[in-house]
Amino acid sequence: MKRFLLIALSCMAFSAQAKPKKEKWIQLFNGKNLTNWTVKIHHHEVGDNFGNTFRAEDGMIKVRYDQYDQFNERYGHLYFNKPFSHYKLRLQYRFTGVWRKDAPDYTEKNSGVMFHSQDPNTMPKEQDWPISVEMQFLGILADGKPRPTGNMCSPGTDVVFQGKIDPRHCINSTSKTFENEQWITAELIVRGDSLVTHMINGETVLEYTQPQIGGGVANRYIPALKIDGKLLKSGFIALQSEGQEIDFRHIELLDLSKE
């Protein structure tokens, strides 16, 4: 009887240890307004949400251009107000049918989420892109050609891909091409200045390491901030607007800093 009791207690202890911890996801978007978010749009001061570009409606963050007279390279970013280092970011996005034809051609069905970004308050009015790394989102174009999503782009940064710093501004993922107007789940796993993983609809599509300051594309930044070769251990997260209307929802983050 004593032996049976010991076995039962051991099983109970093992079961308690094996029970997974409940994940505590932080909701970055409250579904109602842009509280805790800051806008920075090219040609405008920090906090100026020109043309109501970013708006909270119907439980989504929408990027819209219906109040624009012209696009005028008004590349925009909506920043969550707290920086993060080790985390898993999860969100859903969908492209709508409206694209500003006075925006550059490459912006059609193109958007993304920036991470390890500089603080928007350190960006001059005329800085176009933040020094950051981007998980790029792409939708299919009229020609129907393959166009993967969940890619990596690097304004003012570099990454190590397949063992060496890759000189390309953007590195394509292995994802399939998705039709527009459908919700896509994007997940980004960031572990400080080491491993970064991109996932689309639950599948790993790209991995790289050592995000760091370097490269080009970002312009008119404060020179003292661009220290090429400096590893990026943390930074801000921002949703992008660059001429294509897009919706974002279910934006949440799991803090991995204590793992």
Side-chain angles (χ1 to χ4, degrees), residues 10-259:
S10 297
C11 290
M12 289 174 63
F14 177 79
S15 177
Q17 291 175 0
K19 187 177 180 179
K21 294 181 180 179
K22 186 177 180 180
E23 295 182 335
K24 296 181 180 179
W25 287 84
I26 303 168
Q27 301 302 311
L28 301 188
F29 173 50
N30 62 19
K32 300 176 182 179
N33 53 50
L34 299 182
T35 298
N36 296 323
W37 295 82
T38 296
V39 177
K40 175 63 180 80
I41 296 175
H42 185 211
H43 302 318
H44 298 269
E45 300 289 355
V46 177
D48 181 0
N49 189 12
F50 174 82
N52 197 22
T53 303
F54 295 96
R55 57 190 75 169
E57 294 178 346
D58 306 319
M60 298 175 277
I61 292 178
K62 298 180 178 180
V63 173
R64 296 293 185 269
Y65 302 100
D66 52 1
Q67 297 178 29
Y68 278 49
D69 54 349
Q70 57 181 335
F71 185 67
N72 191 28
E73 296 185 332
R74 289 188 175 99
Y75 309 118
H77 298 86
L78 178 67
Y79 293 81
F80 189 72
N81 289 341
K82 178 182 177 181
F84 295 97
S85 176
H86 293 66
Y87 57 90
K88 181 175 183 178
L89 176 70
R90 183 165 63 200
L91 59 82
Q92 291 185 331
Y93 73 88
R94 70 177 178 186
F95 287 110
T96 73
V98 180
W99 166 63
R100 293 263 345 170
K101 293 184 179 179
D102 57 347
D105 289 347
Y106 68 82
T107 65
E108 185 176 6
K109 299 300 186 294
N110 185 343
S111 189
V113 57
M114 323 303 279
F115 65 98
H116 275 0
S117 174
Q118 68 182 105
D119 186 328
N121 292 293
T122 66
M123 293 178 64
K125 182 178 178 180
E126 293 303 323
Q127 183 174 342
D128 48 4
W129 305 100
I131 296 172
S132 58
V133 186
E134 177 188 357
M135 183 179 186
Q136 182 192 52
F137 305 145
L138 297 178
I140 194 169
L141 298 176
D143 60 16
K145 293 180 179 179
R147 204 169 187 233
T149 190
N151 309 314
M152 188 289 306
C153 293
S154 54
T157 55
D158 286 315
V159 301
V160 172
F161 180 63
Q162 296 181 344
K164 61 182 180 180
I165 291 181
D166 196 302
R168 292 174 290 178
H169 170 53
C170 293
I171 300 173
N172 282 349
S173 80
T174 59
S175 86
K176 66 180 183 180
T177 301
F178 292 92
E179 295 290 335
N180 301 307
E181 307 289 346
Q182 65 173 301
W183 288 105
I184 308 297
T185 299
E187 295 172 274
L188 177 68
I189 304 172
V190 180
R191 297 190 179 277
D193 60 0
S194 57
L195 180 65
V196 179
T197 303
H198 293 196
M199 300 179 69
I200 295 294
N201 286 352
E203 295 185 2
T204 297
V205 296
L206 182 63
E207 287 190 319
Y208 50 90
T209 61
Q210 298 179 50
Q212 58 193 271
I213 296 176
V217 179
N219 298 287
R220 296 175 294 281
Y221 46 78
I222 297 172
L225 296 179
K226 193 169 183 294
I227 307 171
D228 289 358
K230 180 181 178 180
L231 292 173
L232 291 170
K233 301 176 182 293
S234 64
F236 290 82
I237 293 168
L239 306 177
Q240 190 179 76
S241 69
E242 56 178 7
Q244 172 67 55
E245 293 191 351
I246 187 172
D247 298 330
F248 299 97
R249 70 179 184 183
H250 303 324
I251 307 165
E252 53 188 0
L253 182 141
L254 180 65
D255 189 348
L256 304 177
S257 61
K258 296 181 181 180
E259 285 193 354

